Amino acid sequence: MAQYLSIKAAYPNTLVFYRMGDFYELFYEDAERAAELMGVTLTARGQSAGKPIPMAGVPFHAVDSYLAKLVKLGESVAICEQLGEVTGKGPVQRGVVRIVTPGTLTDSELLGDKAEARVLAVHQGPRNQVGLAWLAMTQGIVVLAECTPDAVGQWINRVAPQEVIHSPDVTPAFESLLTEATNASGMTGSRVVLTLRPSAHFDGALGARKLQDQLQSINLNAWHAQDLTHAHAAAGALLEYARQTQGRELVHVRELQVAADNELINLPLSTRRNLELTHTLRGETEPTLFSLLDTCQTGMGSRQLREWLLAPKRDRADAQARIDTIGIMANASEAAYFQTLRNAMKGASDAQRITARIALAQAKPRELVALARTLEKATELSLALQNVRAPTALLEGLTHDLQVPPEVSDLLGRSIHPEPNAMVRDGGVIADGWDAELDELRHIATNCDDFLLALEARERERTGIANLKVQYNRVHGFFIEITQGQLDRVPDDYRRRQTLKNAERFTTTELKAFEDKALSAQERALAREKWLYDSVLSQLNNWLPALQKMSRAFAALDALAALAERAHTLHWVAPTFAAEPGIDISAGRHPVVEARLQSATATASAGRSATFIPNDTHLHSKRRMQIITGPNMGGKSTYMRQVAVIVLLASMGSYVPANACRIGPIDAIHTRIGAADDLANAQSTFMLEMTEAAQILHAATEQSLVLMDEIGRGTSTYDGLALAAAIATNLHDKRKALTLFATHYFELTQFPADHHAAQNVHVSAIESGKSGIAFLHQIEAGPASRSFGVQVARLAGVPSTVVQQAKQTLHALESKDADAQSQVDLFAAPQALPDVEPSPLEALLQQIDADALSPREALDLVYRMKQLQVRNSGN
């Protein structure tokens, strides 16, 4: 156990998988913890200090399934392999060859096809500055940024890492901020792990040198990153952590980007959740906007599409380029052609991940075969795209990047067996004819049967033993087996090897010499094959940049083709962009709700159907706020969400579900929708509502889209009404954001009378004798006449006696004299306090020069003040 304990000491916070034969074993606390997490049996091995040593293990051939379970739970695992040969003299040499962590995954077995693993390094610098650096191992791009501590949560939400590393030297307040931010980010569906790294790794000067070495550059000026000293410190720790986890240099990480705070449209966590972009409010992956859009043929295409959706740029150049390209793909004359290209993408491998695994020397034989097939598809796609009439610049660029030097395909085709074994250690990986020495060794091994049959025939003839057999097994090697009844015929040159119950096993000089040669050939062939395979991976490193370009182009083309298919199938239109703020949508629809209605209609019984009711939206400088009233279930929230979704789709470069769409500059989409509490953080429903409202009021600008749904309903009527009025006033007068403000406070319908850029709209509904209410889902001008709350309660199944009592109470309340109490002006400016004449005592105090008083004058003054006080009391 001394060897295990020395290795474990270097990884105190990591589970150590210690290779012993055909198992990975865990000991002590690791075993107890892993047994609980993985559901394996906890046993014991030997004793320490008089107590049994806990032990648990998993078979080496099934390790990936257990690693996937542990990583999903946020655990990291150090893989300790046998590095030396078994000699029988002391323990076999072992060492950690790789550390599997949630943020540095490249294995498809451990990571979903549509998921991207990222690790983010955070460095708390002086003067209220924070350095950030992150890396997706499969992409090979390091990204740098700097921000204030208050903005760290927004960056974590934007980057969406699976792992955040930081120094133990951070302040307690900053550590709490990181914990809160990672917990909040983890609510979107994936757990975020906080990992401590040595403080010495977070050094700015060291980080800058590491970046220069990684980029093979003498400085960082070409990337405008030379002054980001705090980010350099984070990058140094990031690169060292990535190198240690992979157990080798990161030869594929050769790109650097600098991210700016104002580069992307801000999509706060609440917006991603409320719009159900990638997860429903229940945490499921569908039906969501992403699940509707994602008809990609490859995992890397799905990841690219997800990135476009969650990180739309404020600059419209990329979005316009995608829209123009989709226009060509979705065009009626080209649609069939591009559908053929989409079909050609089917079966393509995840070249992006395979390329990264080649660089890390982790690629498996079958992955290389899959890569070779994908290269063939990429070449076919590139040739086919050259026939497109009037291609866009984006399409031309993708066509060029899909082309990989033919030497890569040639190397893979000639070196790797077309149907290799899963692992190199099993042999059968290198193709015949690639290496003469390997072919010779294989010839010896594969011709064993011919030799054995010939030897068996000769020995039967020589000895006269008809049932003599020449055989082989892994324990005893090659032998001649003779039954007990024929032992008297055994020649003198036979040497006994093993005695069985009914037979004896022998060897001869000739058989022993062949055994040595054959067994040696098998071992040498496996060793040679491993060396040749590593050599192929090394040669492929020469074309890593070309492979990375190809995989990114393939992913982008796949994502564009999926958006084009959606546009064509769902009858979406191309949006246009304007320089002035505003949103103009004609006959807009919520794509996910519409798809669900169509699906329900398709499976419904005959005669039942549902059609989504489209609505127009017009927001601009003179009409930048809509006060939306109407009944619950009438469609207010759907209408508000569809506007935000259409704006987001246009901003990412997609066609949109509308008849026409024109979008001005957008810097953020803010939402305050729904009622829920956050018990884990001790926030009530109303506190959470006000917190989100406060964040919006601090962040919104004239170019922001704000959705406010039922603000103020978590408190008393007057409190909620007052807050709703004040928030609406702030958004209208100060923030001047493009705002959709839904409310049940009918007093707020007076808001547009005093605020010129606001207008009343309502969701129409009519009373129905059968159900009590019929929702028309149509947005119309003017305020709603009623809320229809009692009718909605009836639809929900509230007992009829309760509904009847509520109707009577409502009628009584509505029948009250409207003049019984005056209407409060909710939107009037605060009145100035009236001028009040000062009292004699206050007038006296105003005349006093305290610094000029003598002790005697001060005493007299006290008596005078006493007299004035008594006089005032008398009045």
Side-chain angles (χ1 to χ4, degrees), residues 205-430:
L206 179 62
R209 289 196 299 272
K210 283 181 177 291
L211 282 172
Q212 292 169 15
D213 293 342
Q214 199 68 45
L215 301 170
Q216 299 176 341
S217 174
I218 61 173
N219 57 53
L220 302 176
N221 296 345
W223 296 272
H224 304 287
Q226 65 274 14
D227 297 326
L228 303 177
T229 55
H230 305 302
H232 296 166
L238 173 71
L239 291 172
E240 181 61 22
Y241 183 62
R243 187 191 65 78
Q244 289 185 9
T245 57
Q246 304 308 306
R248 61 182 57 249
E249 297 299 326
L250 311 174
V251 297
H252 69 300
V253 180
R254 291 288 185 262
E255 293 188 45
L256 178 68
Q257 295 178 0
V258 175
D261 183 48
N262 60 356
E263 178 185 12
L264 303 181
I265 294 175
N266 184 20
L267 300 176
L269 190 63
S270 58
T271 295
R272 300 185 183 205
R273 182 176 63 248
N274 290 329
L275 297 184
E276 297 182 298
L277 299 184
T278 59
H279 290 81
T280 67
L281 295 176
R282 296 182 178 182
E284 299 167 346
T285 56
E286 56 181 38
T288 64
L289 182 59
F290 177 66
S291 69
L292 178 70
L293 294 176
D294 184 24
T295 60
C296 294
Q297 306 295 330
T298 67
M300 55 185 175
S302 297
R303 295 195 299 273
Q304 180 66 83
L305 183 63
R306 181 189 178 100
E307 184 177 338
W308 288 348
L309 175 65
L310 297 181
K313 292 184 178 179
R314 298 184 188 182
D315 182 83
R316 302 296 172 76
D318 287 349
Q320 189 63 61
R322 291 172 198 147
I323 291 169
D324 293 342
T325 303
I326 293 170
I328 294 176
M329 293 180 167
N331 185 280
S333 61
E334 300 281 3
Y337 178 73
F338 276 96
Q339 183 58 44
T340 303
L341 294 184
R342 266 172 56 81
N343 292 336
M345 295 182 196
K346 289 182 179 178
S349 65
D350 199 327
Q352 199 170 52
R353 287 184 179 172
I354 295 174
T355 299
R357 290 172 59 75
I358 288 172
L360 299 171
Q362 297 172 3
K364 298 175 182 178
R366 292 177 182 174
E367 290 178 328
L368 296 190
V369 173
L371 177 62
R373 293 172 184 157
T374 302
L375 289 176
E376 293 177 4
K377 290 179 177 290
T379 301
E380 293 172 4
L381 287 172
S382 180
L383 293 174
L385 289 173
Q386 293 176 20
N387 297 323
V388 175
R389 291 169 291 183
T392 62
L394 173 59
L395 205 53
E396 288 180 336
L398 296 178
T399 302
H400 177 268
D401 290 347
L402 283 171
Q403 301 171 7
V404 175
E407 292 85 354
V408 183
S409 296
D410 180 67
L411 172 63
L412 291 171
R414 292 193 301 114
S415 64
I416 305 299
H417 195 283
E419 295 183 1
N421 284 323
M423 307 300 293
V424 180
R425 63 172 177 261
D426 298 327
V429 170
I430 300 298

Side-chain angles (χ1 to χ4, degrees), residues 53-324:
I53 300 174
M55 181 179 77
V58 298
F60 82 95
H61 58 81
V63 68
D64 285 343
S65 61
Y66 291 101
L67 288 176
K69 185 180 294 186
L70 291 172
V71 168
K72 190 175 182 180
L73 294 172
E75 298 291 336
S76 295
V77 180
I79 308 296
C80 181
E81 294 285 2
Q82 296 177 180
L83 303 179
E85 296 295 330
V86 179
T87 63
K89 299 178 181 179
V92 180
Q93 180 186 357
R94 293 181 175 87
V96 172
V97 298
R98 184 185 171 204
I99 306 173
V100 180
T101 77
T104 59
L105 298 176
T106 60
D107 310 60
S108 295
E109 295 85 355
L110 308 181
L111 193 61
D113 290 341
K114 302 177 183 181
E116 188 74 85
R118 291 185 180 89
V119 56
L120 168 69
V122 180
H123 170 64
Q124 184 184 21
R127 296 183 296 278
N128 207 35
Q129 286 293 308
V130 176
L132 306 172
W134 63 93
L135 168 69
M137 197 67 70
T138 58
Q139 294 182 4
I141 303 173
V142 175
V143 189
L144 306 180
E146 290 188 349
C147 65
T148 61
D150 292 340
V152 168
Q154 296 178 11
W155 280 97
I156 291 178
N157 174 49
R158 169 176 166 177
V159 177
Q162 280 65 47
E163 191 171 8
V164 175
I165 64 173
H166 67 92
S167 162
D169 291 342
V170 299
T171 63
F174 189 77
E175 187 173 10
S176 298
L177 187 152
L178 283 179
T179 302
E180 181 180 347
T182 52
N183 287 342
S185 184
M187 293 171 61
T188 59
S190 61
R191 182 171 181 173
V192 184
V193 179
L194 279 174
T195 302
L196 285 176
R197 299 299 295 162
S199 302
H201 292 181
F202 292 84
D203 181 87
L206 179 62
R209 289 196 299 272
K210 283 181 177 291
L211 282 172
Q212 292 169 15
D213 293 342
Q214 199 68 45
L215 301 170
Q216 299 176 341
S217 174
I218 61 173
N219 57 53
L220 302 176
N221 296 345
W223 296 272
H224 304 287
Q226 65 274 14
D227 297 326
L228 303 177
T229 55
H230 305 302
H232 296 166
L238 173 71
L239 291 172
E240 181 61 22
Y241 183 62
R243 187 191 65 78
Q244 289 185 9
T245 57
Q246 304 308 306
R248 61 182 57 249
E249 297 299 326
L250 311 174
V251 297
H252 69 300
V253 180
R254 291 288 185 262
E255 293 188 45
L256 178 68
Q257 295 178 0
V258 175
D261 183 48
N262 60 356
E263 178 185 12
L264 303 181
I265 294 175
N266 184 20
L267 300 176
L269 190 63
S270 58
T271 295
R272 300 185 183 205
R273 182 176 63 248
N274 290 329
L275 297 184
E276 297 182 298
L277 299 184
T278 59
H279 290 81
T280 67
L281 295 176
R282 296 182 178 182
E284 299 167 346
T285 56
E286 56 181 38
T288 64
L289 182 59
F290 177 66
S291 69
L292 178 70
L293 294 176
D294 184 24
T295 60
C296 294
Q297 306 295 330
T298 67
M300 55 185 175
S302 297
R303 295 195 299 273
Q304 180 66 83
L305 183 63
R306 181 189 178 100
E307 184 177 338
W308 288 348
L309 175 65
L310 297 181
K313 292 184 178 179
R314 298 184 188 182
D315 182 83
R316 302 296 172 76
D318 287 349
Q320 189 63 61
R322 291 172 198 147
I323 291 169
D324 293 342

Side-chain angles (χ1 to χ4, degrees), residues 4 10 70 129 171 404 468 503 506 656 661 768-769 778 790 845 875:
Y4 167 81
L70 291 172
Q129 286 293 308
T171 63
V404 175
L468 177 149
F506 301 87
V656 299
C661 175
S768 168
Q778 189 74 49
V790 175
L845 289 173
N875 294 336

